[in-house]
Coordinates of all heavy atoms in Angstrom, one line a residue:
Chain B
R20 N -30.5 35.9 30.4 CA -31.7 36.1 29.7 C -31.8 35.3 28.3 O -32.8 34.7 28.0 CB -31.9 37.6 29.4 CG -33.4 38.0 29.3 CD -33.5 39.5 29.0 NE -34.7 39.8 28.3 CZ -35.9 39.8 29.0 NH1 -35.9 39.7 30.2 NH2 -37.0 40.1 28.3
L38 N -42.8 14.5 21.0 CA -41.9 13.8 20.1 C -42.6 13.3 18.9 O -42.2 12.4 18.2 CB -41.2 12.7 20.9 CG -40.1 13.1 21.9 CD1 -39.7 12.0 22.6 CD2 -39.0 14.0 21.3
L40 N -44.4 13.7 15.1 CA -43.9 14.0 13.8 C -43.8 15.6 13.5 O -42.9 16.0 12.8 CB -44.7 13.5 12.6 CG -45.0 11.9 12.9 CD1 -45.8 11.4 11.7 CD2 -43.6 11.1 12.8
H60 N -8.9 11.2 -15.6 CA -7.7 10.7 -16.4 C -6.5 11.7 -16.3 O -6.0 12.0 -17.4 CB -8.0 10.4 -17.8 CG -8.8 9.0 -18.0 ND1 -8.3 7.9 -17.6 CD2 -10.1 8.8 -18.3 CE1 -9.1 6.8 -17.9 NE2 -10.2 7.4 -18.2
A68 N -5.8 26.3 -26.0 CA -6.8 27.0 -26.9 C -6.9 26.5 -28.4 O -8.0 26.7 -28.9 CB -6.3 28.6 -27.0
R82 N -11.8 24.1 -11.9 CA -12.8 23.4 -11.3 C -12.9 23.6 -9.8 O -14.1 23.8 -9.2 CB -12.6 21.9 -11.5 CG -13.8 21.0 -11.2 CD -13.4 19.5 -10.9 NE -12.4 19.0 -11.8 CZ -11.5 18.1 -11.5 NH1 -11.5 17.5 -10.4 NH2 -10.6 17.8 -12.5
I86 N -16.2 24.9 -7.7 CA -16.8 24.0 -6.5 C -16.7 25.0 -5.3 O -17.8 24.8 -4.5 CB -15.7 23.0 -6.2 CG1 -15.9 21.8 -7.4 CG2 -16.0 22.2 -4.9 CD1 -14.9 20.7 -7.5
T108 N -2.3 11.6 -19.0 CA -1.3 12.6 -19.3 C -0.1 12.3 -18.6 O 0.0 11.4 -17.7 CB -1.8 14.0 -18.7 OG1 -1.7 14.0 -17.2 CG2 -3.2 14.4 -19.1
M123 N -7.2 16.4 -5.5 CA -8.6 16.1 -5.1 C -8.8 16.4 -3.6 O -9.8 16.8 -3.2 CB -8.8 14.6 -5.5 CG -9.0 14.4 -6.9 SD -9.2 12.7 -7.3 CE -10.8 12.3 -6.7
M125 N -7.1 18.8 -1.9 CA -7.3 20.2 -1.8 C -8.7 20.7 -2.2 O -9.1 21.6 -1.7 CB -6.2 20.9 -2.7 CG -4.8 20.6 -2.2 SD -3.7 21.4 -3.4 CE -2.1 20.7 -2.8
H151 N -1.8 10.2 0.1 CA -2.0 11.5 -0.5 C -3.5 11.8 -0.7 O -3.9 12.9 -1.0 CB -1.3 11.7 -1.9 CG 0.1 11.3 -1.8 ND1 1.0 12.1 -1.0 CD2 0.9 10.4 -2.4 CE1 2.2 11.7 -1.2 NE2 2.2 10.7 -2.0
D162 N -13.5 -7.7 -3.8 CA -13.0 -8.2 -2.6 C -11.5 -8.1 -2.6 O -10.8 -8.8 -3.4 CB -13.5 -9.7 -2.5 CG -13.1 -10.3 -1.2 OD1 -12.4 -9.7 -0.4 OD2 -13.4 -11.5 -0.9
F188 N -22.2 4.0 -1.7 CA -21.5 2.9 -2.0 C -20.9 2.9 -3.4 O -21.2 3.8 -4.2 CB -22.4 1.6 -1.9 CG -23.4 1.4 -2.9 CD1 -23.2 0.3 -3.8 CD2 -24.6 2.2 -3.0 CE1 -24.3 0.1 -4.8 CE2 -25.5 2.0 -3.9 CZ -25.4 0.9 -4.9
E193 N -16.0 -5.4 -14.2 CA -15.2 -6.7 -14.1 C -13.8 -6.4 -14.8 O -13.7 -5.9 -15.9 CB -16.0 -7.7 -15.0 CG -15.3 -9.0 -15.2 CD -16.2 -10.1 -15.4 OE1 -17.3 -9.9 -15.9 OE2 -15.8 -11.2 -14.9
L222 N -28.5 0.2 3.8 CA -28.6 1.6 3.9 C -29.9 2.3 4.2 O -30.1 3.1 5.1 CB -27.8 2.4 2.7 CG -26.4 2.0 2.5 CD1 -25.9 2.5 1.2 CD2 -25.5 2.7 3.7
S243 N -24.6 -5.2 -25.3 CA -24.6 -6.7 -24.8 C -25.3 -6.6 -23.5 O -25.8 -5.7 -23.1 CB -23.2 -7.2 -24.6 OG -22.5 -6.4 -23.7
L251 N -28.4 -1.6 -13.8 CA -28.3 -1.4 -12.2 C -29.6 -0.7 -11.8 O -30.2 -1.1 -10.9 CB -27.0 -0.7 -11.9 CG -26.8 -0.3 -10.4 CD1 -26.6 -1.6 -9.6 CD2 -25.8 0.6 -10.2
T255 N -32.7 -2.8 -9.4 CA -32.5 -2.7 -8.0 C -33.6 -1.9 -7.3 O -34.5 -1.4 -8.2 CB -31.1 -1.9 -7.6 OG1 -31.1 -0.7 -8.3 CG2 -29.9 -2.8 -8.0
V289 N -20.4 12.7 -16.4 CA -20.0 13.9 -17.1 C -18.8 13.6 -18.1 O -17.8 14.3 -18.0 CB -19.6 15.1 -16.1 CG1 -20.9 15.7 -15.6 CG2 -18.7 14.6 -15.0
F303 N -35.4 18.6 0.4 CA -36.0 17.7 1.3 C -37.1 18.5 2.1 O -36.9 19.6 2.4 CB -35.1 17.1 2.3 CG -34.1 16.1 1.7 CD1 -33.0 16.7 1.2 CD2 -34.3 14.8 1.8 CE1 -32.0 15.8 0.6 CE2 -33.4 13.9 1.2 CZ -32.2 14.5 0.7
K307 N -43.7 16.5 3.8 CA -44.2 16.0 2.7 C -44.6 14.4 3.0 O -43.9 13.8 3.6 CB -43.4 16.0 1.4 CG -43.1 17.4 1.0 CD -44.0 17.9 -0.1 CE -43.8 19.4 -0.3 NZ -44.7 19.9 -1.3

Side-chain angles (χ1 to χ4, degrees):
Chain B
R20 205 180 155 77
L38 287 178
L40 306 179
H60 284 293
R82 195 198 318 151
I86 289 166
T108 71
M123 286 173 72
M125 291 177 191
H151 305 301
D162 183 352
F188 72 108
E193 178 151 30
L222 290 172
S243 61
L251 174 70
T255 54
V289 287
F303 294 83
K307 297 267 170 178

